[in-house]
């Protein structure tokens, strides 16, 4: 029996090998296409996540800027003299920095 199994294994033809190689090439092409599709899907997902995060940060920044503006307006109404002194001091420092150039 061992001789018939060995003989059968030796009788594999070139056509059989060619068919197997063609099948392997087809499988590799299919796997490559699947990996490419997966990569595209993941990159689109990551792009969408990044865009959503950027929009969230922008919205948070806008809210914080509005809060700061509201606090500044309240400070101006509550202490106009102090606000005027701070503005004059900042203007003086900006003048000194720009005059040196």
């Amino acid at each position: 029996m061992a001789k018939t199994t060995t003989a059968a294994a030796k009788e594999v033809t070139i056509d059989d090998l060619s068919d197997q190689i063609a099948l392997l090439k087809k499988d590799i092409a299919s796997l490559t296409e699947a990996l490419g599709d997966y990569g595209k899907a993941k990159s689109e997902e990551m792009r969408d996540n990044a865009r959503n995060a950027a929009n969230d940060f922008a919205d948070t920044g806008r809210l914080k800027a509005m809060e700061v503006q509201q606090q500044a307006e309240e400070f101006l109404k509550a202490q106009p003299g102090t606000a005027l002194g701070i503005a004059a001091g900042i203007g003086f420092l900006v003048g000194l920095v720009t005059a040196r150039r």
Side-chain angles (χ1 to χ4, degrees):
M1 284 267 183
K3 290 183 181 181
T4 57
T5 306
T6 308
K10 289 182 181 179
E11 292 179 13
V12 175
T13 65
I14 294 177
D15 291 335
D16 292 338
L17 291 175
S18 296
D19 291 343
Q20 289 178 1
I21 290 173
L23 182 62
L24 283 174
K25 285 182 180 180
K26 183 179 174 186
D27 288 346
I28 290 172
S30 176
L31 285 172
T32 303
E33 184 179 342
L35 284 174
D37 292 344
Y38 178 76
K40 286 179 186 177
K42 275 299 188 183
S43 67
E44 289 174 2
E45 180 183 343
M46 295 297 286
R47 184 189 70 226
D48 291 342
N49 288 343
R51 184 177 292 142
N52 290 339
N55 288 336
D56 290 345
F57 288 136
D59 292 342
T60 303
R62 284 187 202 101
L63 289 174
K64 291 292 182 183
M66 289 172 47
E67 289 176 11
V68 169
Q69 180 180 359
Q70 185 178 9
Q71 289 175 353
E73 288 174 0
E74 290 174 4
F75 180 75
L76 284 171
K77 290 178 184 176
Q79 299 178 357
T82 305
L84 181 63
I86 292 171
I90 291 173
F92 178 74
L93 290 175
V94 169
L96 283 175
V97 170
T98 58
R100 290 184 182 177
R101 291 183 181 191

